[in-house]
Amino acid sequence: MNIEVWIRALKAARAGADVSQEALAATIRWSPSTVAAIETGRRRPTMEFAVAADQALTTGGLLAQLLKADEGRSGPTSFEPWPGYERRASRLCHFEPCLVPGLLQTEEYARAVFSAGDLYRADRVEELVRLRLNRQEVLHRDDPPECIFVVDESALQRRIGGPTVMEQQLCRLVDAAQLPHVRLHVLPLEVGAHPSMGGGFVLAEVPDHDRLLCLDNAARGQIADYPEWISWVQRKWERLLAEAHGTMASIELIRKLTVTP
């Protein structure tokens, strides 16, 4: 099955239930623009959307089953649209508790991250590194988004890839912080417990979708535009930003760590 077949199934189910796009959006509590984007193929449906649409249109789980079959054929795809949203975003707010954010990683650091645990073949590691580096082009284009990063200090102290790789990575962070559209904040260890110890996230402001949320977890990335989720994560973001060091203090802290043992 390809995604066009899934879209036709959604449209047929909606027509059979005599439910408009706007009514479906209101029922499942997704934005009307998201429903329209999915039905026109501009945005890939998530499993959460398929389950909600099945319930609203009483399709007996058909849409979820079709989407699951497609994902089983092509592999995990929920993160695939995210680089496209990054490229179109006017603002990105990124919190990372364990690693340097992907948009700021050096090639060697990214390779060490993907090589950890020997979970991927060498060729797959190189493919993932290439994809990550390609995403970083968004920072260097003529009209880059405003990018605000909050990184937990513990992520900067973890010697991923060894001292030399980490030294280069810390220097990259200092360089990136000099870009006019980048703000880098370090959440100090002395803060202790904080609102997002469960994992990292990115909040993106995208013209066609208002705001989108990308959550990272052990299995796969998840993209969502649930208003309740975004509102809750926005509150976490504001608390994290308030507790983090300012830009100059963050750069000074990073410079203190850039001394290879």
Side-chain angles (χ1 to χ4, degrees):
M1 187 202 80
N2 57 37
I3 202 62
E4 287 77 16
V5 174
W6 190 93
I7 291 172
R8 288 200 296 270
L10 171 62
K11 290 180 177 179
R14 191 166 56 73
D18 194 22
V19 174
S20 66
Q21 282 187 353
E22 293 75 13
L24 176 60
T27 301
I28 65 177
R29 303 179 75 177
W30 284 56
S31 67
S33 63
T34 297
V35 177
I38 288 174
E39 288 201 354
T40 56
R42 292 184 290 113
R43 179 172 177 182
R44 184 180 175 87
T46 63
M47 185 57 68
E48 290 80 6
F49 181 92
V51 170
D54 274 328
Q55 293 174 347
L57 301 173
T58 62
T59 56
L62 174 64
L63 296 173
Q65 291 173 10
L66 289 174
L67 188 60
K68 183 177 181 181
D70 186 58
E71 291 186 344
R73 176 186 59 81
S74 57
T77 56
S78 63
F79 188 76
E80 287 181 4
W82 185 252
Y85 297 137
E86 278 183 335
R87 288 191 294 270
R88 302 202 329 267
S90 59
R91 194 167 190 252
L92 295 167
C93 299
H94 191 148
F95 171 66
E96 181 53 66
C98 300
L99 298 168
V100 169
L103 290 180
L104 301 178
Q105 291 178 7
T106 65
E107 179 176 347
E108 293 77 11
Y109 184 98
R111 184 172 290 109
V113 169
F114 289 124
S115 299
D118 297 321
L119 298 178
Y120 299 111
R121 301 189 312 270
D123 58 339
R124 178 57 175 163
V125 168
E126 293 307 311
E127 180 184 6
L128 291 170
V129 170
R130 176 181 56 80
L131 291 172
R132 176 148 297 179
L133 296 180
N134 287 344
R135 285 176 52 210
Q136 296 177 4
E137 294 176 1
V138 71
L139 295 177
H140 305 289
R141 70 188 192 199
D142 293 337
D143 58 339
E146 178 187 10
C147 297
I148 307 172
F149 300 93
V150 175
V151 186
D152 195 285
E153 184 181 347
S154 62
L156 306 181
Q157 295 189 3
R158 186 178 298 277
R159 297 299 182 184
I160 292 175
T164 301
V165 170
M166 200 62 203
E167 178 88 355
Q168 294 171 345
Q169 178 61 74
L170 293 172
C171 290
R172 167 70 64 83
L173 289 177
V174 173
D175 290 343
Q178 312 304 317
L179 295 172
H181 53 281
V182 172
R183 286 170 48 196
L184 179 61
H185 302 271
V186 176
L187 185 68
L189 290 174
E190 54 261 31
V191 167
H194 59 75
S196 196
M197 298 184 71
F201 60 82
V202 185
L203 282 166
E205 295 182 12
V206 183
D208 292 343
H209 297 84
D210 190 16
R211 289 192 298 172
L212 289 173
L213 171 65
C214 183
L215 297 169
D216 206 3
N217 59 54
R220 58 197 294 181
Q222 181 181 19
I223 302 171
D225 66 349
Y226 301 122
E228 312 92 89
W229 289 21
I230 291 176
S231 178
W232 180 244
V233 173
Q234 180 67 35
R235 290 178 61 190
K236 290 188 175 186
W237 170 255
E238 291 169 358
R239 297 290 180 87
L240 290 167
L241 199 57
E243 294 178 334
H245 284 314
T247 299
M248 296 307 297
S250 296
I251 293 174
E252 183 61 26
L253 188 155
I254 294 170
R255 282 180 171 151
K256 289 179 180 178
L257 294 174
T258 56
V259 178
T260 304

